[in-house]
Amino acid sequence: RHALLDRLARASPVRGAPAAFPVNKALELIIDAMKHGKTFVFVQPNPKQGKSAVRYAVCSAETTFAGLEALRGQHFAGTRRPGLVGEVTTRSGDFVNGVCRRYVVFVEPPPPVL
């Protein structure tokens, strides 16, 4: 799926770079994507280490809102922190932060099969 994105969308953001979008804009993008059945792709390589790297790997493998929501509150072996903190639309949540920093990009749904 990553290869289907245009070149700019595939460019990995610089780690530690300032947010590309303010939180309100990120929330608008997320709500719009949910309404229109879009999926998403994490384009940031795993910046984490140790136990957080395991959580990030699991979350970044998801491409649907339902799959991401299923991870909310789920704990992984040896960790006390859930895989996803907050709801998908929580202002200070992990997913909103990822969209703000362009670690997550949205993909248009495929056209209906006729």
Side-chain angles (χ1 to χ4, degrees), residues 30-75:
I30 293 167
I31 291 167
D32 180 70
M34 292 170 83
K35 281 183 187 176
H36 293 98
K38 295 180 182 180
T39 58
F40 50 86
V41 177
F42 284 76
V43 294
Q44 167 73 8
N46 191 342
K48 309 287 185 174
Q49 296 177 6
K51 294 174 185 175
S52 359
V54 174
R55 289 192 302 267
Y56 187 88
V58 171
C59 289
S60 65
E62 282 300 330
T63 60
T64 65
F65 289 104
L68 200 59
E69 189 64 30
L71 294 175
R72 194 168 68 96
Q74 180 180 347
H75 292 268

Side-chain angles (χ1 to χ4, degrees), residues 64-92:
T64 65
F65 289 104
L68 200 59
E69 189 64 30
L71 294 175
R72 194 168 68 96
Q74 180 180 347
H75 292 268
F76 298 98
T79 67
R80 287 183 279 168
R81 190 165 182 218
L84 179 70
V85 176
E87 294 185 23
V88 172
T89 55
T90 300
R91 291 182 62 82
S92 61

